Amino acid sequence: MAENEKYTANSIKVLEGLEHVRKRPSMYIGSTNERGLHHLVFEVVDNSIDEAMAGFCTEIKVVIHKDNSVTVKDNGRGIPVDIHPKLGVSGVEVALTKLNAGGKFDGKAYHVSGGLHGVGVSVVNALSEYLIVKVTRDHIVYRQEFKRGKPIYPLKEIGRSEETESGTEITFLPDKEIFETIDIKESIIKPKLKELAYLNARLKIIFVNEKTGLTEEYYSEGGIVDFIKEIHEGQQVLPPEPIYIKKEDNDFFLEIVLQYNSGFNTDLRSFVNNIRTIDGGTHESGFRTALNRVINDQAHQLKLIRDSLVLTADDIKEGLTAIINLRITEPQFEGQTKTRLGNADVKSKVYAAVKEELNKYFDRHIDEIKQIVKKAVLAQNARLAARKAKDLVRRKNSLDFSGRLPGKLADCTTNDPKEAELYIVEGESAGGSAKQGRDRKFQAILPLRGKILNVERARIHNVLSNQEIKNLIISLGCGIKEEFTPEKLRYHKVIIMTDADVDGAHIRTLLLTFFFRYMRELIENGYLYIAQPPLYRIKMGRKIYYAFSDEELKRILKEIDGEGKAEVQRYKGLGEMDPQQLWETTMDPARRVILRVTIREAEEADRLFDLLMGDRVEPRRRFIEEHANEVVNLDI
Ligand code: 0RA
C-alpha cells in the first residue's frame, strides 16, 4: 500500500471515530448536561495534570472566557510535534483526532484511564465548535485549529517564545449543538482545581474566570497535609500534627493523611489518579482494615487495653478525617457513576503499606497512639451506654401507645374512652364477622389468632414476646404493671369474645390470667367483660330464638311446643354466625348480655391457669379428677 493511500485510510477511520463521538456523546462523557459539559474541562486539565505527575509540569492555568470557551495551559513538555511514522501526521493531530490516543505514547506511569475522564482530548475536540492548540517545544511555537473535531489546517510553526521553553495550550468552545447548556460554572470548576492543587503538592494552578473577574492561585507545599489542616481549621484535633504516611514504588504511589477531631462523624475522602472515588472501593477497604488492625495491635502491645477488649471499626472511625491519595497504572472504576475502585490487588497492597507505615509512625509517636486509643475506648463506652439506653427506651416504647396502632385492630371512630368498646375476638373469621356487624362508631375489633395463643399459652411468662399480646397492649394504650396508666386506656369496655368450646375456654383463661397479672387495675375498675354468644338458634316459622344455655333451649322449646316443627342449630363457634346475627345476639348493647369480670374470677382463672399449665403434677391430677365431668363436657 502506498504511503498516501495509508494516510487516506487512516484519516477516514479517524473521521468515523469522531463522528461516532458526536452521535453518541454520552458514551464518552456520560451525559450532555451540565455534568458532561464540565467533564470536557476536566478532561483537558487531566492531561496537564498527567504531565505534572510525570514530573515535567509545574504550572497549569485555566481560563474561562466570556463566551464560555476555556483555555488550559501548562508548562509541560508539550505534545510531540513530529510526524507520526505510521499515521503520517503530527503527534498533536494524532492526540486531538484519534480516539483513545490520549497523546500518551510514552507509557508513563500514572495517567488517568477508565472512568469518565481519560477518554482523551480527541473527545473534547469532537464535541467543540472549535479547538485551538498551541504547543511550544524548544521555544518554537506551533499551532493547529479544528472545527467540530476536523483539522482546518495541519500543525504549523507560528513563531518563537523566548520565555517559554515548552508547554501545551488548548482553547475550546463546547458545541451548543451537542450540549444542553454551555454555561461553564465557577462553582464546579473552582473547588475541583483547589482539590487538585492539594493532591499535587507544589503544582501551581491559576484560575481565571473572565465572566466574573476572578483570579485565584492554588498552591500547596504540603499537599494533602495542608488539605486536612484546611478541613480541620478552627477545630480541636488529635494529634496536633496530622499523621502522614507514604509508600511509593514503580507503578504504585500512595499517600494518606489522617487526624481526629472532637466530632463524631467520619470524613474519608479517597482519590485515585486525582479522581474522587466517592463510593470507595478496594483502596478504602484496605485502609480501614489496616487502621483497625494497627490501632488494636498497638493498644494491646502497649497494654493500653486488656487483651480481651477489641476496638471496633465504629470506635476507631469516630471523629476521623482521612484523605487517601492513590496513583496506579490501570485503575478500574466501577459502578453507575464510575466512582468506586475495583482493582482487587489494591486492597492487599494498601493494607500492607498502611500497616507497615502506620506501625512505623506509632513506634515513634507513643503519645499519639495513647491518646487515639483513649479516644476510641471512650467512643466504645459511649456507644455501649447509648445502645443500652436505646434498648431500654425501645423496650418501653414497644408496649407504649406512642407509636402506631396494630394493623389488625379495626378501631372505632370515637375518641372518648368512656363510650368506646374493644372486642377481643378469637379467630380471624369471627373477627371478620364482628368487624362487619359492629357499630363502628364506638366498637373496635381486635382479632386474635387463637391457635397461636393457645399453643403458646404455656409460656405465659414470656407473654410479652407474643405478638398477639403485644397488639393487645398497644391497642389498649395504657401500659402494663407498674406503668399501667388508667388515663391512657382507650376503651372502658374491654370484651373478651371466644368460642363456646374448650379452645375458647383456654384462650379466655389465658386472657384473664394476662389481665390479672399485667393490668389488674383494669379489672378492679370494672372495665373487663366476657361476651355471651348464644349456644343455639331456634327457628320456628318466621320467628327466631336464641338460647344461651341448655336450660334456656329446653325452656324455649317447651314454650313454642305445638306451634310447628322447630329447627335447632347449635353454634360450634362464633364463625358460624353471620355479621347480622353476631350483632343481634352478642354485640348490640340493647340486646346483648355481657358479664363483668371480677377480681375473684380473674384470680380463679389465674389459679386454674397455673394448675393446668404448671409443673405441679399432683394438684393437676386432683383437679382433673374432681372436674372430670365438666372437662369431658367441654371437650365434646
Ligand atoms: C505525549 C507525549 C509527551 C507529552 C504529552 C503527550 C503531553 C500531552 C499533553 C496534553 C496537555 N498537556 C500535555 N503535555 C504533554 C511527551 C513528549 C516528550 O517525550 O517530549
Side-chain angles (χ1 to χ4, degrees):
M1 204 188 284
E3 269 306 310
N4 58 345
E5 275 176 57
K6 224 196 293 176
Y7 172 67
T8 314
N10 273 316
S11 47
I12 289 169
K13 242 195 273 164
V14 163
L15 289 180
E16 279 172 352
L18 295 185
E19 263 329 298
H20 191 253
V21 176
R22 289 181 63 81
K23 242 192 223 139
R24 298 260 183 284
S26 303
M27 279 181 61
Y28 300 88
I29 53 163
S31 67
T32 55
N33 58 20
E34 187 172 75
R35 200 182 155 131
L37 174 75
H38 290 84
H39 271 308
L40 294 194
V41 183
F42 297 128
E43 179 57 47
V44 179
V45 172
D46 278 347
N47 282 277
S48 299
I49 294 276
D50 276 0
E51 193 63 4
M53 283 195 294
F56 299 103
C57 163
T58 57
E59 195 175 304
I60 300 172
K61 185 176 181 180
V62 179
V63 183
I64 302 174
H65 302 288
K66 284 213 164 81
D67 65 348
N68 283 310
S69 62
V70 178
T71 296
V72 179
K73 183 181 177 180
D74 68 55
N75 65 350
R77 288 167 295 179
I79 306 176
V81 294
D82 42 310
I83 301 296
H84 191 279
K86 285 217 179 82
L87 304 175
V89 295
S90 71
V92 172
E93 187 170 327
V94 173
L96 282 151
T97 56
K98 228 177 126 39
L99 280 180
N100 298 323
K104 291 278 156 181
F105 338 107
D106 59 347
K108 190 63 207 159
Y110 336 101
H111 56 89
V112 180
S113 73
L116 290 175
H117 305 275
V119 287
V121 277
S122 59
V123 168
V124 178
N125 192 18
L127 301 176
S128 294
E129 217 172 290
Y130 69 79
L131 184 145
I132 302 163
V133 58
K134 276 199 242 173
V135 171
T136 308
R137 283 175 75 100
D138 293 326
H139 298 281
I140 302 169
V141 185
Y142 305 81
R143 178 182 170 113
Q144 189 173 15
E145 287 179 49
F146 303 82
K147 206 170 170 253
R148 303 208 153 97
K150 293 174 189 164
I152 298 173
Y153 53 83
L155 187 74
K156 65 179 179 195
E157 211 180 299
I158 57 163
R160 281 187 63 85
S161 157
E162 290 317 319
E163 67 272 29
T164 314
E165 191 200 322
S166 67
T168 304
E169 179 185 316
I170 292 173
T171 300
F172 65 98
L173 176 68
D175 195 342
K176 294 177 214 47
E177 284 179 7
I178 302 282
F179 292 96
E180 291 164 27
T181 167
I182 62 156
D183 183 20
I184 306 282
K185 289 207 168 129
E186 190 173 299
S187 60
I188 298 177
I189 304 292
K190 188 174 136 166
K192 186 70 202 166
L193 294 181
K194 256 179 102 166
E195 196 176 83
L196 281 169
Y198 282 129
L199 293 171
N200 297 275
R202 293 173 300 282
L203 170 66
K204 188 201 272 188
I205 299 179
I206 303 161
F207 176 45
V208 177
N209 185 356
E210 292 178 346
K211 297 201 288 186
T212 60
L214 175 107
T215 299
E216 280 185 356
E217 250 185 57
Y218 312 118
Y219 176 86
S220 164
E221 191 68 40
I224 58 172
V225 175
D226 289 347
F227 197 177
I228 206 169
K229 283 179 178 171
E230 190 197 87
I231 294 170
H232 276 167
E233 198 175 294
Q235 296 194 56
Q236 270 190 302
V237 291
L238 175 75
E241 194 56 34
I243 300 170
Y244 176 79
I245 56 173
K246 181 169 152 177
K247 184 93 189 171
E248 198 172 4
D249 62 36
N250 291 335
D251 53 1
F252 181 88
F253 170 93
L254 173 71
E255 59 170 358
I256 296 178
V257 66
L258 57 132
Q259 191 176 44
Y260 287 90
N261 59 52
S262 55
F264 305 103
N265 299 329
T266 306
D267 184 357
L268 178 55
R269 303 187 199 185
S270 63
F271 300 84
V272 178
N273 297 0
N274 293 315
I275 294 173
R276 176 82 192 265
T277 36
I278 200 131
D279 292 322
T282 48
H283 54 331
E284 277 195 15
S285 76
F287 165 70
R288 287 172 196 275
T289 315
L291 180 69
N292 295 340
R293 183 73 222 222
V294 169
I295 290 185
N296 272 292
D297 284 356
Q298 291 274 347
H300 290 133
Q301 276 163 25
L302 295 169
K303 305 234 172 289
L304 301 174
I305 56 175
R306 64 187 148 71
D307 288 347
S308 57
L309 188 78
V310 175
L311 296 167
T312 67
D314 283 337
D315 306 329
I316 288 166
K317 74 179 189 194
E318 189 177 298
L320 176 71
T321 300
I323 301 162
I324 301 176
N325 189 17
L326 174 70
R327 292 171 191 163
I328 51 175
T329 43
E330 275 170 42
Q332 251 111 53
F333 294 105
E334 296 177 341
Q336 265 281 286
T337 50
K338 304 280 179 208
T339 43
R340 186 180 66 244
L341 186 70
N343 304 49
D345 60 314
V346 167
K347 183 177 168 162
S348 53
K349 278 192 97 166
V350 171
Y351 174 81
V354 173
K355 190 162 173 258
E356 184 187 331
E357 295 303 314
L358 213 49
N359 270 323
K360 261 195 233 163
Y361 171 90
F362 284 132
D363 288 345
R364 284 179 283 109
H365 296 83
I366 303 291
D367 239 36
E368 278 81 350
I369 185 66
K370 275 186 185 165
Q371 282 182 288
I372 289 169
V373 170
K374 208 165 131 191
K375 183 175 162 67
V377 169
L378 225 76
Q380 182 169 77
N381 290 341
R383 215 161 36 77
L384 293 180
R387 187 195 289 166
K388 258 188 210 156
K390 209 162 156 190
D391 284 353
L392 212 70
V393 170
R394 273 213 195 110
R395 211 173 302 132
K396 260 190 184 166
N397 278 351
S398 69
L399 306 176
D400 186 353
F401 168 62
S402 55
R404 299 201 308 145
L405 290 167
K408 292 180 69 174
L409 173 72
D411 207 6
C412 51
T413 49
T414 183
N415 282 323
D416 180 4
K418 284 205 265 323
E419 60 168 338
E421 303 178 352
L422 176 69
Y423 273 86
I424 304 168
V425 184
E426 175 194 353
E428 305 285 353
S429 82
S433 290
K435 280 181 195 176
Q436 287 176 53
R438 67 178 171 148
D439 184 333
R440 63 186 309 131
K441 204 174 142 252
F442 64 96
Q443 292 180 319
I445 310 295
L446 180 68
L448 296 184
R449 287 194 295 173
K451 280 264 167 50
I452 298 238
L453 213 56
N454 207 13
V455 167
E456 291 195 343
R457 69 190 187 270
R459 286 183 275 162
I460 183 83
H461 302 289
N462 295 325
V463 73
L464 297 183
S465 58
N466 180 299
Q467 191 55 49
E468 303 297 295
I469 294 289
K470 273 193 212 161
N471 285 345
L472 177 58
I473 296 170
I474 296 168
S475 300
L476 293 170
C478 54
I480 55 165
K481 288 208 158 179
E482 295 80 21
E483 280 154 23
F484 182 87
T485 317
E487 297 77 40
K488 284 192 172 175
L489 181 64
R490 301 177 64 245
Y491 314 92
H492 282 189
K493 281 199 179 72
V494 178
I495 303 163
I496 300 170
M497 186 158 77
T498 54
D499 288 342
D501 59 13
V502 73
D503 267 345
H506 270 153
I507 289 160
R508 190 170 60 239
T509 305
L510 169 82
L511 286 170
L512 289 173
T513 304
F514 163 76
F515 281 112
F516 179 73
R517 292 191 187 177
Y518 291 87
M519 296 187 185
R520 193 169 301 196
E521 264 187 81
L522 187 134
I523 304 168
E524 285 167 349
N525 290 341
Y527 295 150
L528 189 61
Y529 297 84
I530 294 171
Q532 296 292 290
L535 290 177
Y536 300 98
R537 178 176 184 263
I538 306 115
K539 192 166 182 265
M540 172 65 82
R542 281 173 50 235
K543 273 197 164 156
I544 307 257
Y545 303 85
Y546 294 102
F548 291 84
S549 64
D550 287 6
E551 287 78 4
E552 207 177 356
L553 172 68
K554 277 181 205 149
R555 189 172 48 75
I556 293 169
L557 288 176
K558 218 182 207 168
E559 266 175 34
I560 58 172
D561 194 23
E563 290 180 32
K565 192 176 167 5
E567 287 172 47
V568 177
Q569 181 193 357
R570 180 177 156 84
Y571 287 128
K572 288 188 211 80
L574 295 163
E576 289 179 10
M577 273 185 263
D578 63 36
Q580 184 60 27
Q581 291 170 351
L582 199 56
W583 165 252
E584 284 171 13
T585 60
T586 319
M587 296 177 76
D588 177 6
R591 285 177 275 182
R592 74 185 175 192
V593 177
I594 54 174
L595 303 178
R596 179 176 276 159
V597 177
T598 64
I599 270 292
R600 196 183 293 280
E601 284 159 337
E603 199 172 359
E604 179 65 20
D606 186 52
R607 199 179 60 78
L608 183 66
F609 186 90
D610 259 359
L611 205 65
L612 292 174
M613 303 303 153
D615 300 324
R616 295 171 297 169
V617 177
E618 189 47 34
R620 177 161 58 200
R621 213 195 58 206
R622 229 184 311 122
F623 176 88
I624 293 172
E625 277 167 7
E626 278 171 25
H627 296 83
N629 291 334
E630 293 162 50
V631 173
V632 170
N633 280 341
L634 273 172
D635 275 337
I636 290 169

